Amino acid sequence: MERPRMVLETRDLTKQFGGVVAVNELNYAVEEGELRCLIGTNGAGKTTLFNLVTGALKPTSGEVYFRGVNITGLSPHQICRMGIGRKFQSPNIFQELSVSDNIRVAAQGKSGFLGLALHTYDETFEDQLPPLLKSIRLYEMKDLRASSLSHGQQQWLEIGMVLANHPSLLLLDEPTAGMTMAETRETVGLIRDISAGMTTIVIEHDIGFVREIAETVTVMYRGRILAEGRLDEVERDEMVRDVYLGRQRE
Amino acid sequence: MGYEPYLVQFFNGLSIAAILILVGYGLAVIFGMMRIINWAHGEFFMLGAYVVFVIGEAGGSYWLALLIAPIIVALVGAIIERFLVRHLYKELLATVLLTWGLSICLRQLVRLVIGPEWRYIGNPLPGSMTFLGISYPLYRLFIVVLAVAVMGLVGYLMLKTRFGLYCRAVRQNREMAAALGVDTDRINLLAFALGTGLAGLGGAVMAPLVTIQPDMGLSFLGDSFLVVIVGGAGSIMGIVVSALLLAGVRAILSFSIDPVWSYILVLLFATVIIRFRPQGLLGTKREE
Amino acid sequence: MNLHSVTRSIQKLASSVPKLTQASVGIGRLGRISLVTLLVLPLAVAFPLMVGRFQVGLMVKFLIFAMFALSLDLLWGYGGILSLGHAGFFGLGAYATALVLIHFDGPGATYLGLLAGMIVPALLAALLGYFLFYGRVGGMYFAIITLVVSTVLNQMVITFIEFTGGLNGLYPIPPLTIYIPGLFDLEITGAAPLYYSMLICLVLFFLFCRKTVNSGFGRLTRAIKDNETRVEYFGYNLANGKIAVFCLSCALAGLAGGLYAPAIGFISPDLLGIAMTTEVLVWVAVGGKGTLTGAILGALLVNLIAFFLSGQLVNLWYLIMGMFLVAIVIFRPKGIMGYLRE
């Protein structure tokens, strides 16, 4: 009987920094088309997991599989080309470039050099640009320098950039970090829209946000999976409550 | 006939290495502490030599000049740090241009004030010592002894005194050190003065052996940089070892090959090292 | 009419200058051309008619220097990569072209020579770049290595006298020729023809640089300067990107050098030295890096001033340049064009 295709799978993935084990023999899997949330206290290993998946870090042991292909140890640009896109925790964009140029750079990441040099003006892409800008609510600012955007707008810009890169697996690291209430609400709709037809993993702290968008939730604690399931199930889990209420368990 | 020429070359290499260690360590202190690459470092070397020259012209003894030169050069370094370099700790590439410009200014000032002519000073320690079948100049042996003594002093300073402790703390983690009450501005100033003072000492020591002219620092600069790159900016041992290595390689190569080629080979050697170990041979990886 | 109102009107006039320099006019598919350029261009064309042969010859040199400065601006102003040995590539191109022109007498020698002047530096840049950028060598170390490389090149040129004439340099160097088979074989000699050829070359150079900067590749280069780690997460091979801009910049520097050799007719190892590198850095810094026009402006302006301060004061001039550099770094990091654009 065929299991639904695992887009991302880690096998006994471990990352150790000196004495600290950030990710501990983690077996994490995400199915095609899921919108999965990854939550946990600070230091649980969530961002480290992202780093391991995207090639920013090499694991101490264990493997990462993307669509059945072993991507352990590949470099970030290779992994990106295979279809994994990442949004970083704090807005990681090109401050000095305009909003549109930011997206253009992101979009052309997978084309070869000759393509870059010869094509100044890509008709098809330029046609797709306005709708993309509108979907991230930045159409009016398209010619503004990225550094002049607000924090929340920069977060949206980065999301747009990652989208323009056409990933099939989208990793969002705290997309609403530093956002106002209004911006957070906007982002809910934004993420719902963009995650249609794509596999998405979102790291988040804001439980209200998680409630709005999540189907399945994974709770990490000290580099391991503490619980996994729908949010209401996970919320009722004893161990999860202990961890969140501060009662340490070994 | 047999080993004598090699022995002579060996000691030649040793004496060159001694200078490289002094100058290189000064560079390393500045780079390690403040992440600034001091392009004018060769000029402090040059200033040291000129101080010796000027004092000689005024009738003073070489040994007096040797004592005074590092102090004067360190003072100049302190002034430059306080009024110019201090402004740019945030933008490292800007400091490259700044110190580059300073290098020009210092060279031209010396050229205009003292004159561009090539100068020479006599050997303050003439004579040679016979040992192991060769006759070797006393002065060169003195250089080696001096370098060992000075590095020993500096090592003591860095490892056993409070100042050294602060220096190492600031180098490891500036913010933490500041939060713990270390006056980082003062440490920067003193470290810069120490670094430039060492370069000045190197120049003063080299003065009897080379032509004293305004651009003399430039040729030493490249070698000093290679020493720091290869040896890593963090450790005294690293500098010592890489200085010995580079001087040694040069000495061996100059035996049979054109000095230009030996320079190229040394450069290749350094490039390969830095490619595979960006922290230098003996440096420790910095968590940037 | 009192002192206060006079100073106020002067202030208003002065502050409108930057705005005027921004004014531009569209010329269809070629983009926009600034008002300033429209005014300057006729002057530039009429220049040889207004001054003597010596001044025109001087200007030929300055125009070539402007091209050299443009090549550095691409690398440093747009790519954020500081090279302390750019003169090495300029000089390498000059010697490569000169050697081809001297030893190869046939038609089309100019094309071959200029090609050599571009390819040789580009190959060296590729080699260096491969080693350094794949090794993730930081900006500082890269700068040092370029410095040492240019010093080594300088030394090599001095030592291999049979090829390069050593300290005496190469002289004379055959002139540039435009050869179109069957049509003509035109030698470019004489101050005015050289001047116009170099002017055209400078314009072409500038247009090429501008096109590159506005292309996808130029955007990538600016993105690398802005946030190089981020670039990798969009699928770009960072090392390749840096190697590409480094090679392009060095090829252009070599081309400028390749034009220099036959245009001036005499080259020496000084072209590869630290002083030359310092000068080009100052030109770009003074004019404003990352603006292209700044590079041209800086090159022309600084060289003109240097010329007026004449030979006696060469040492003083060099001192002033050093102080200039220090002052620019401490007070006005954006240069003239940067200041005007704000």
PDB file of all heavy atoms in Angstrom, chain B residues 122-148:
ATOM      1  N   GLY B 122      75.731  52.910  10.131  1.00  0.00           N
ATOM      2  CA  GLY B 122      76.754  51.887  10.300  1.00  0.00           C
ATOM      3  C   GLY B 122      76.313  50.768  11.210  1.00  0.00           C
ATOM      4  O   GLY B 122      75.376  50.894  11.986  1.00  0.00           O
ATOM      5  N   ASN B 123      77.025  49.679  11.133  1.00  0.00           N
ATOM      6  CA  ASN B 123      76.765  48.527  11.980  1.00  0.00           C
ATOM      7  C   ASN B 123      77.213  48.822  13.410  1.00  0.00           C
ATOM      8  O   ASN B 123      78.385  49.059  13.655  1.00  0.00           O
ATOM      9  CB  ASN B 123      77.537  47.320  11.427  1.00  0.00           C
ATOM     10  CG  ASN B 123      77.173  46.037  12.150  1.00  0.00           C
ATOM     11  OD1 ASN B 123      76.624  46.072  13.245  1.00  0.00           O
ATOM     12  ND2 ASN B 123      77.497  44.919  11.524  1.00  0.00           N
ATOM     13  N   PRO B 124      76.298  48.846  14.358  1.00  0.00           N
ATOM     14  CA  PRO B 124      76.667  49.207  15.731  1.00  0.00           C
ATOM     15  C   PRO B 124      77.401  48.082  16.461  1.00  0.00           C
ATOM     16  O   PRO B 124      77.919  48.286  17.537  1.00  0.00           O
ATOM     17  CB  PRO B 124      75.317  49.474  16.386  1.00  0.00           C
ATOM     18  CG  PRO B 124      74.378  48.627  15.625  1.00  0.00           C
ATOM     19  CD  PRO B 124      74.859  48.561  14.224  1.00  0.00           C
ATOM     20  N   LEU B 125      77.365  46.909  15.873  1.00  0.00           N
ATOM     21  CA  LEU B 125      77.992  45.765  16.535  1.00  0.00           C
ATOM     22  C   LEU B 125      78.814  44.995  15.509  1.00  0.00           C
ATOM     23  O   LEU B 125      78.443  43.900  15.075  1.00  0.00           O
ATOM     24  CB  LEU B 125      76.887  44.863  17.127  1.00  0.00           C
ATOM     25  CG  LEU B 125      77.272  43.891  18.234  1.00  0.00           C
ATOM     26  CD1 LEU B 125      77.814  44.648  19.436  1.00  0.00           C
ATOM     27  CD2 LEU B 125      76.058  43.078  18.636  1.00  0.00           C
ATOM     28  N   PRO B 126      79.883  45.597  15.089  1.00  0.00           N
ATOM     29  CA  PRO B 126      80.674  44.938  14.044  1.00  0.00           C
ATOM     30  C   PRO B 126      81.385  43.709  14.598  1.00  0.00           C
ATOM     31  O   PRO B 126      81.438  43.497  15.805  1.00  0.00           O
ATOM     32  CB  PRO B 126      81.672  46.016  13.628  1.00  0.00           C
ATOM     33  CG  PRO B 126      81.778  46.904  14.810  1.00  0.00           C
ATOM     34  CD  PRO B 126      80.474  46.841  15.535  1.00  0.00           C
ATOM     35  N   GLY B 127      81.893  42.947  13.701  1.00  0.00           N
ATOM     36  CA  GLY B 127      82.597  41.761  14.164  1.00  0.00           C
ATOM     37  C   GLY B 127      81.723  40.555  14.014  1.00  0.00           C
ATOM     38  O   GLY B 127      80.527  40.638  13.795  1.00  0.00           O
ATOM     39  N   SER B 128      82.344  39.411  14.150  1.00  0.00           N
ATOM     40  CA  SER B 128      81.570  38.187  13.990  1.00  0.00           C
ATOM     41  C   SER B 128      82.005  37.157  15.007  1.00  0.00           C
ATOM     42  O   SER B 128      83.035  37.277  15.654  1.00  0.00           O
ATOM     43  CB  SER B 128      81.708  37.657  12.576  1.00  0.00           C
ATOM     44  OG  SER B 128      83.025  37.819  12.129  1.00  0.00           O
ATOM     45  N   MET B 129      81.185  36.176  15.117  1.00  0.00           N
ATOM     46  CA  MET B 129      81.430  35.115  16.064  1.00  0.00           C
ATOM     47  C   MET B 129      81.664  33.828  15.285  1.00  0.00           C
ATOM     48  O   MET B 129      80.972  33.563  14.310  1.00  0.00           O
ATOM     49  CB  MET B 129      80.216  34.960  16.981  1.00  0.00           C
ATOM     50  CG  MET B 129      80.507  34.182  18.222  1.00  0.00           C
ATOM     51  SD  MET B 129      79.257  34.521  19.462  1.00  0.00           S
ATOM     52  CE  MET B 129      78.240  33.086  19.323  1.00  0.00           C
ATOM     53  N   THR B 130      82.654  33.073  15.719  1.00  0.00           N
ATOM     54  CA  THR B 130      82.929  31.824  15.013  1.00  0.00           C
ATOM     55  C   THR B 130      82.353  30.668  15.807  1.00  0.00           C
ATOM     56  O   THR B 130      82.621  30.508  16.984  1.00  0.00           O
ATOM     57  CB  THR B 130      84.444  31.603  14.873  1.00  0.00           C
ATOM     58  OG1 THR B 130      85.077  32.859  14.782  1.00  0.00           O
ATOM     59  CG2 THR B 130      84.741  30.795  13.626  1.00  0.00           C
ATOM     60  N   PHE B 131      81.538  29.914  15.156  1.00  0.00           N
ATOM     61  CA  PHE B 131      81.019  28.730  15.822  1.00  0.00           C
ATOM     62  C   PHE B 131      80.573  27.736  14.771  1.00  0.00           C
ATOM     63  O   PHE B 131      80.203  28.100  13.658  1.00  0.00           O
ATOM     64  CB  PHE B 131      79.848  29.071  16.746  1.00  0.00           C
ATOM     65  CG  PHE B 131      78.686  29.706  16.036  1.00  0.00           C
ATOM     66  CD1 PHE B 131      77.604  28.946  15.588  1.00  0.00           C
ATOM     67  CD2 PHE B 131      78.672  31.080  15.809  1.00  0.00           C
ATOM     68  CE1 PHE B 131      76.546  29.523  14.933  1.00  0.00           C
ATOM     69  CE2 PHE B 131      77.610  31.664  15.170  1.00  0.00           C
ATOM     70  CZ  PHE B 131      76.541  30.893  14.721  1.00  0.00           C
ATOM     71  N   LEU B 132      80.638  26.488  15.121  1.00  0.00           N
ATOM     72  CA  LEU B 132      80.183  25.426  14.226  1.00  0.00           C
ATOM     73  C   LEU B 132      80.828  25.536  12.845  1.00  0.00           C
ATOM     74  O   LEU B 132      80.223  25.206  11.836  1.00  0.00           O
ATOM     75  CB  LEU B 132      78.647  25.445  14.061  1.00  0.00           C
ATOM     76  CG  LEU B 132      77.862  25.102  15.318  1.00  0.00           C
ATOM     77  CD1 LEU B 132      76.368  25.198  15.052  1.00  0.00           C
ATOM     78  CD2 LEU B 132      78.180  23.680  15.781  1.00  0.00           C
ATOM     79  N   GLY B 133      82.025  26.068  12.804  1.00  0.00           N
ATOM     80  CA  GLY B 133      82.716  26.097  11.528  1.00  0.00           C
ATOM     81  C   GLY B 133      82.381  27.280  10.640  1.00  0.00           C
ATOM     82  O   GLY B 133      82.880  27.403   9.537  1.00  0.00           O
ATOM     83  N   ILE B 134      81.481  28.166  11.103  1.00  0.00           N
ATOM     84  CA  ILE B 134      81.228  29.357  10.290  1.00  0.00           C
ATOM     85  C   ILE B 134      81.507  30.599  11.105  1.00  0.00           C
ATOM     86  O   ILE B 134      81.559  30.587  12.329  1.00  0.00           O
ATOM     87  CB  ILE B 134      79.761  29.420   9.813  1.00  0.00           C
ATOM     88  CG1 ILE B 134      78.818  29.443  11.021  1.00  0.00           C
ATOM     89  CG2 ILE B 134      79.439  28.275   8.873  1.00  0.00           C
ATOM     90  CD1 ILE B 134      77.420  29.829  10.658  1.00  0.00           C
ATOM     91  N   SER B 135      81.688  31.668  10.369  1.00  0.00           N
ATOM     92  CA  SER B 135      81.908  32.962  10.995  1.00  0.00           C
ATOM     93  C   SER B 135      80.686  33.812  10.699  1.00  0.00           C
ATOM     94  O   SER B 135      80.407  34.130   9.535  1.00  0.00           O
ATOM     95  CB  SER B 135      83.161  33.612  10.400  1.00  0.00           C
ATOM     96  OG  SER B 135      83.435  34.799  11.061  1.00  0.00           O
ATOM     97  N   TYR B 136      79.925  34.155  11.738  1.00  0.00           N
ATOM     98  CA  TYR B 136      78.648  34.806  11.490  1.00  0.00           C
ATOM     99  C   TYR B 136      78.608  36.177  12.156  1.00  0.00           C
ATOM    100  O   TYR B 136      79.047  36.344  13.282  1.00  0.00           O
ATOM    101  CB  TYR B 136      77.505  33.919  12.005  1.00  0.00           C
ATOM    102  CG  TYR B 136      76.182  34.277  11.406  1.00  0.00           C
ATOM    103  CD1 TYR B 136      75.882  33.962  10.081  1.00  0.00           C
ATOM    104  CD2 TYR B 136      75.239  34.983  12.145  1.00  0.00           C
ATOM    105  CE1 TYR B 136      74.680  34.323   9.513  1.00  0.00           C
ATOM    106  CE2 TYR B 136      74.022  35.344  11.587  1.00  0.00           C
ATOM    107  CZ  TYR B 136      73.754  35.020  10.278  1.00  0.00           C
ATOM    108  OH  TYR B 136      72.568  35.371   9.711  1.00  0.00           O
ATOM    109  N   PRO B 137      78.027  37.175  11.474  1.00  0.00           N
ATOM    110  CA  PRO B 137      78.009  38.540  12.021  1.00  0.00           C
ATOM    111  C   PRO B 137      77.331  38.611  13.390  1.00  0.00           C
ATOM    112  O   PRO B 137      76.250  38.062  13.582  1.00  0.00           O
ATOM    113  CB  PRO B 137      77.180  39.328  11.001  1.00  0.00           C
ATOM    114  CG  PRO B 137      77.159  38.513   9.773  1.00  0.00           C
ATOM    115  CD  PRO B 137      77.380  37.096  10.158  1.00  0.00           C
ATOM    116  N   LEU B 138      77.994  39.308  14.297  1.00  0.00           N
ATOM    117  CA  LEU B 138      77.458  39.462  15.649  1.00  0.00           C
ATOM    118  C   LEU B 138      76.094  40.124  15.647  1.00  0.00           C
ATOM    119  O   LEU B 138      75.196  39.746  16.390  1.00  0.00           O
ATOM    120  CB  LEU B 138      78.410  40.309  16.504  1.00  0.00           C
ATOM    121  CG  LEU B 138      79.452  39.542  17.287  1.00  0.00           C
ATOM    122  CD1 LEU B 138      80.377  40.518  17.996  1.00  0.00           C
ATOM    123  CD2 LEU B 138      78.783  38.633  18.305  1.00  0.00           C
ATOM    124  N   TYR B 139      75.975  41.156  14.803  1.00  0.00           N
ATOM    125  CA  TYR B 139      74.754  41.943  14.855  1.00  0.00           C
ATOM    126  C   TYR B 139      73.528  41.096  14.530  1.00  0.00           C
ATOM    127  O   TYR B 139      72.476  41.236  15.150  1.00  0.00           O
ATOM    128  CB  TYR B 139      74.835  43.148  13.914  1.00  0.00           C
ATOM    129  CG  TYR B 139      73.651  44.070  14.095  1.00  0.00           C
ATOM    130  CD1 TYR B 139      73.473  44.777  15.286  1.00  0.00           C
ATOM    131  CD2 TYR B 139      72.690  44.200  13.108  1.00  0.00           C
ATOM    132  CE1 TYR B 139      72.386  45.579  15.482  1.00  0.00           C
ATOM    133  CE2 TYR B 139      71.590  45.013  13.289  1.00  0.00           C
ATOM    134  CZ  TYR B 139      71.448  45.693  14.481  1.00  0.00           C
ATOM    135  OH  TYR B 139      70.345  46.490  14.680  1.00  0.00           O
ATOM    136  N   ARG B 140      73.666  40.244  13.550  1.00  0.00           N
ATOM    137  CA  ARG B 140      72.527  39.398  13.190  1.00  0.00           C
ATOM    138  C   ARG B 140      72.157  38.461  14.325  1.00  0.00           C
ATOM    139  O   ARG B 140      70.983  38.176  14.555  1.00  0.00           O
ATOM    140  CB  ARG B 140      72.840  38.609  11.931  1.00  0.00           C
ATOM    141  CG  ARG B 140      72.745  39.484  10.704  1.00  0.00           C
ATOM    142  CD  ARG B 140      72.740  38.657   9.445  1.00  0.00           C
ATOM    143  NE  ARG B 140      72.563  39.494   8.282  1.00  0.00           N
ATOM    144  CZ  ARG B 140      71.509  39.459   7.484  1.00  0.00           C
ATOM    145  NH1 ARG B 140      70.546  38.614   7.721  1.00  0.00           N
ATOM    146  NH2 ARG B 140      71.428  40.252   6.439  1.00  0.00           N
ATOM    147  N   LEU B 141      73.182  37.977  15.023  1.00  0.00           N
ATOM    148  CA  LEU B 141      72.885  37.122  16.171  1.00  0.00           C
ATOM    149  C   LEU B 141      72.159  37.919  17.239  1.00  0.00           C
ATOM    150  O   LEU B 141      71.222  37.442  17.883  1.00  0.00           O
ATOM    151  CB  LEU B 141      74.182  36.538  16.737  1.00  0.00           C
ATOM    152  CG  LEU B 141      74.829  35.482  15.848  1.00  0.00           C
ATOM    153  CD1 LEU B 141      76.203  35.108  16.392  1.00  0.00           C
ATOM    154  CD2 LEU B 141      73.952  34.241  15.752  1.00  0.00           C
ATOM    155  N   PHE B 142      72.617  39.173  17.387  1.00  0.00           N
ATOM    156  CA  PHE B 142      71.969  40.051  18.364  1.00  0.00           C
ATOM    157  C   PHE B 142      70.480  40.206  18.046  1.00  0.00           C
ATOM    158  O   PHE B 142      69.626  40.204  18.938  1.00  0.00           O
ATOM    159  CB  PHE B 142      72.665  41.413  18.363  1.00  0.00           C
ATOM    160  CG  PHE B 142      71.853  42.489  19.033  1.00  0.00           C
ATOM    161  CD1 PHE B 142      71.648  42.470  20.405  1.00  0.00           C
ATOM    162  CD2 PHE B 142      71.277  43.515  18.290  1.00  0.00           C
ATOM    163  CE1 PHE B 142      70.890  43.445  21.026  1.00  0.00           C
ATOM    164  CE2 PHE B 142      70.522  44.499  18.905  1.00  0.00           C
ATOM    165  CZ  PHE B 142      70.331  44.467  20.271  1.00  0.00           C
ATOM    166  N   ILE B 143      70.177  40.366  16.762  1.00  0.00           N
ATOM    167  CA  ILE B 143      68.772  40.508  16.347  1.00  0.00           C
ATOM    168  C   ILE B 143      67.951  39.333  16.837  1.00  0.00           C
ATOM    169  O   ILE B 143      66.856  39.498  17.388  1.00  0.00           O
ATOM    170  CB  ILE B 143      68.663  40.606  14.809  1.00  0.00           C
ATOM    171  CG1 ILE B 143      69.271  41.903  14.314  1.00  0.00           C
ATOM    172  CG2 ILE B 143      67.212  40.539  14.379  1.00  0.00           C
ATOM    173  CD1 ILE B 143      69.197  42.050  12.810  1.00  0.00           C
ATOM    174  N   VAL B 144      68.478  38.149  16.614  1.00  0.00           N
ATOM    175  CA  VAL B 144      67.722  36.961  17.017  1.00  0.00           C
ATOM    176  C   VAL B 144      67.501  36.950  18.518  1.00  0.00           C
ATOM    177  O   VAL B 144      66.385  36.728  19.014  1.00  0.00           O
ATOM    178  CB  VAL B 144      68.457  35.675  16.576  1.00  0.00           C
ATOM    179  CG1 VAL B 144      67.691  34.460  17.038  1.00  0.00           C
ATOM    180  CG2 VAL B 144      68.625  35.650  15.068  1.00  0.00           C
ATOM    181  N   VAL B 145      68.573  37.249  19.249  1.00  0.00           N
ATOM    182  CA  VAL B 145      68.461  37.261  20.716  1.00  0.00           C
ATOM    183  C   VAL B 145      67.445  38.297  21.164  1.00  0.00           C
ATOM    184  O   VAL B 145      66.590  38.050  22.021  1.00  0.00           O
ATOM    185  CB  VAL B 145      69.839  37.551  21.354  1.00  0.00           C
ATOM    186  CG1 VAL B 145      69.684  37.802  22.840  1.00  0.00           C
ATOM    187  CG2 VAL B 145      70.791  36.401  21.091  1.00  0.00           C
ATOM    188  N   LEU B 146      67.529  39.481  20.563  1.00  0.00           N
ATOM    189  CA  LEU B 146      66.611  40.558  20.929  1.00  0.00           C
ATOM    190  C   LEU B 146      65.166  40.146  20.672  1.00  0.00           C
ATOM    191  O   LEU B 146      64.284  40.354  21.514  1.00  0.00           O
ATOM    192  CB  LEU B 146      66.942  41.819  20.129  1.00  0.00           C
ATOM    193  CG  LEU B 146      66.053  43.019  20.454  1.00  0.00           C
ATOM    194  CD1 LEU B 146      66.362  43.526  21.853  1.00  0.00           C
ATOM    195  CD2 LEU B 146      66.222  44.127  19.439  1.00  0.00           C
ATOM    196  N   ALA B 147      64.944  39.571  19.476  1.00  0.00           N
ATOM    197  CA  ALA B 147      63.566  39.184  19.141  1.00  0.00           C
ATOM    198  C   ALA B 147      63.036  38.176  20.146  1.00  0.00           C
ATOM    199  O   ALA B 147      61.894  38.284  20.609  1.00  0.00           O
ATOM    200  CB  ALA B 147      63.517  38.608  17.727  1.00  0.00           C
ATOM    201  N   VAL B 148      63.860  37.209  20.482  1.00  0.00           N
ATOM    202  CA  VAL B 148      63.418  36.205  21.455  1.00  0.00           C
ATOM    203  C   VAL B 148      63.080  36.880  22.774  1.00  0.00           C
ATOM    204  O   VAL B 148      62.045  36.615  23.392  1.00  0.00           O
ATOM    205  CB  VAL B 148      64.507  35.129  21.651  1.00  0.00           C
ATOM    206  CG1 VAL B 148      64.143  34.243  22.818  1.00  0.00           C
ATOM    207  CG2 VAL B 148      64.669  34.296  20.393  1.00  0.00           C
TER     208      VAL B 148
END
